[in-house]
């Protein structure tokens, strides 16, 4: 009964507090209501309910668990504060990158064509016929920037300009000019230089005009050189040689004149070419370059019953065009 009264008070107390009455007035009213509620007349009208007995004291039973209150993930807002509007801010979405991110460009690799370039020398075998003749020794097939260095085995025969690559004839003999090229690689080349003239050849070593002990040379360069008269004025024929024995051309239509040396004026010459598509020869002894290759020019000299057959190798060195 006491427990029932306690429950009744807990139910009536909030209602009485809302009336605004004082605590003393609420206590008096509450006591009166409880007396009426639990009077004998009211209790007699309540039907009896049989509660099965249990071994456990109801007073010792734990209170039922309080209902779970859902916890909001939103922060608590004071009930007496102003309502906070639900404001959603939308930020522009970042563009979706559909391609792979650009990477810094790698340093350019050497051009495969440049790396596989074919470098060749402009000359491999050159023949000079007088002092002071020259040509430029250069690399062919190079591209872009390149550097060349030069050297010569014997600078008393031929010289080379280290800045321009100009090779110049100096004195009779044979030597080699070397060229080192740096262009997408390193290359070394050699060129044979032949200086084919006699040391006393007036066409190669001009006579000193200040000297008066020798008569002036009135012969033309392309005329045969007459042998000096002997002490007894004999007309014996000395040895006869060719003015050229080895010649190299680098362009079509280049030419020189092949004449006998040491033969008299009455010694006619006839000429022939082993390959006229490479080098042609006229009956006056003019040899002309025609096409790339090597040919042999044969000169036959008839000196009054003594015949001399002389040969000159002619090399035509340039690239054949279609």
């Amino acid at each position: 009964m006491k427990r029932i009264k306690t429950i009744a008070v807990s139910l009536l107390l909030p209602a009485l507090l809302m009336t605004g009455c004082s605590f003393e007035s609420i206590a008096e009213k509450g006591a009166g209501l409880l007396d009426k509620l639990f009077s004998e007349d009211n209790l007699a009208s309540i039907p009896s309910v049989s509660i099965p007995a249990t071994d456990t004291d109801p007073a010792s039973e734990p209170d039922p668990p309080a209902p779970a209150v859902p916890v909001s993930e939103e922060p608590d807002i004071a009930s007496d504060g102003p309502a906070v509007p639900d404001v959603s801010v939308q930020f522009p979405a970042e563009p979706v990158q559909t391609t792979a991110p650009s990477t810094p460009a790698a340093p350019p690799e050497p051009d495969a064509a440049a790396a596989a370039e074919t470098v060749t020398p402009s000359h491999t075998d050159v023949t000079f016929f007088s002092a002071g003749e020259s040509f430029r020794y250069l690399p062919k097939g190079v591209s872009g920037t390149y550097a060349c260095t030069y050297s010569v085995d014997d600078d008393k025969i031929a010289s080379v300009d280290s800045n321009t690559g100009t090779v110049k004839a100096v004195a009779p003999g044979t030597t080699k000019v070397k060229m080192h090229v740096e262009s997408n690689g390193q290359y070394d080349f050699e060129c044979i230089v032949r200086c084919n003239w006699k040391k006393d050849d007036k066409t190669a070593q001009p006579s000193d005009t200040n000297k008066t002990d020798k008569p002036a040379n009135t012969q033309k360069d392309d005329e045969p050189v007459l042998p000096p008269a002997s002490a007894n004025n004999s007309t014996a024929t000395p040895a006869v040689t060719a003015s050229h024995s080895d010649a190299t051309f680098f362009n079509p239509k280049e030419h020189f004149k092949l004449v006998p040396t040491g033969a008299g004026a009455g010694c006619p010459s006839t000429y022939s070419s082993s390959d006229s598509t490479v080098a042609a020869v006229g009956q006056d002894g003019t040899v002309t370059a025609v096409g790339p290759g090597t040919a042999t020019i044969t000169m036959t000299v008839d000196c009054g019953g003594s015949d001399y057959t002389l040969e000159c190798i002619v090399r035509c060195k340039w690239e054949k065009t279609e």
Side-chain angles (χ1 to χ4, degrees), residues 232-252:
N232 58 1
N233 293 325
S234 173
T235 58
T237 302
V240 177
T241 59
S243 60
H244 302 77
S245 61
D246 193 316
T248 303
F249 291 128
F250 301 101
N251 296 286

Side-chain angles (χ1 to χ4, degrees), residues 136-257:
R136 290 192 69 188
Y137 190 29
L138 299 173
K140 299 173 64 178
V142 295
S143 59
T145 304
Y146 66 92
C148 293
T149 55
Y150 299 90
S151 64
V152 60
D153 288 351
D154 190 346
D155 58 2
K156 294 180 181 179
I157 297 175
S159 64
V160 59
D161 190 325
S162 59
N163 295 322
T164 63
T166 300
V167 180
K168 185 177 293 186
V170 177
T174 302
T175 186
K176 289 182 180 180
V177 177
K178 299 176 181 179
M179 173 175 60
H180 177 74
V181 183
E182 294 185 6
S183 171
N184 296 320
Q186 299 189 18
Y187 309 87
D188 291 288
F189 303 105
E190 291 183 352
C191 177
I192 300 175
V193 177
R194 312 172 195 269
C195 295
N196 284 353
W197 67 86
K198 295 182 180 180
K199 290 185 179 181
D200 58 351
D201 189 351
K202 294 180 176 57
T203 61
Q205 302 290 339
S207 61
D208 190 348
T209 56
N210 295 326
K211 294 183 179 181
T212 58
D213 56 345
K214 291 184 179 180
N217 182 17
T218 59
Q219 279 187 310
K220 296 182 180 180
D221 292 342
D222 57 353
E223 291 181 355
V225 178
L226 297 177
S230 61
N232 58 1
N233 293 325
S234 173
T235 58
T237 302
V240 177
T241 59
S243 60
H244 302 77
S245 61
D246 193 316
T248 303
F249 291 128
F250 301 101
N251 296 286
K253 298 183 180 181
E254 290 181 350
H255 61 275
F256 69 93
K257 197 164 188 179

Side-chain angles (χ1 to χ4, degrees), residues 11 51 56 63 79 90 102 114 123 126 141-142 171 175 186 194 217 227 231 239 252 262 272 291 305 314 317:
L11 295 174
I51 299 174
T56 305
D63 295 335
S79 60
Q90 294 183 352
S102 59
H123 304 76
V126 175
V142 295
T175 186
Q186 299 189 18
R194 312 172 195 269
N217 182 17
S272 63
V314 177
K317 293 190 174 181

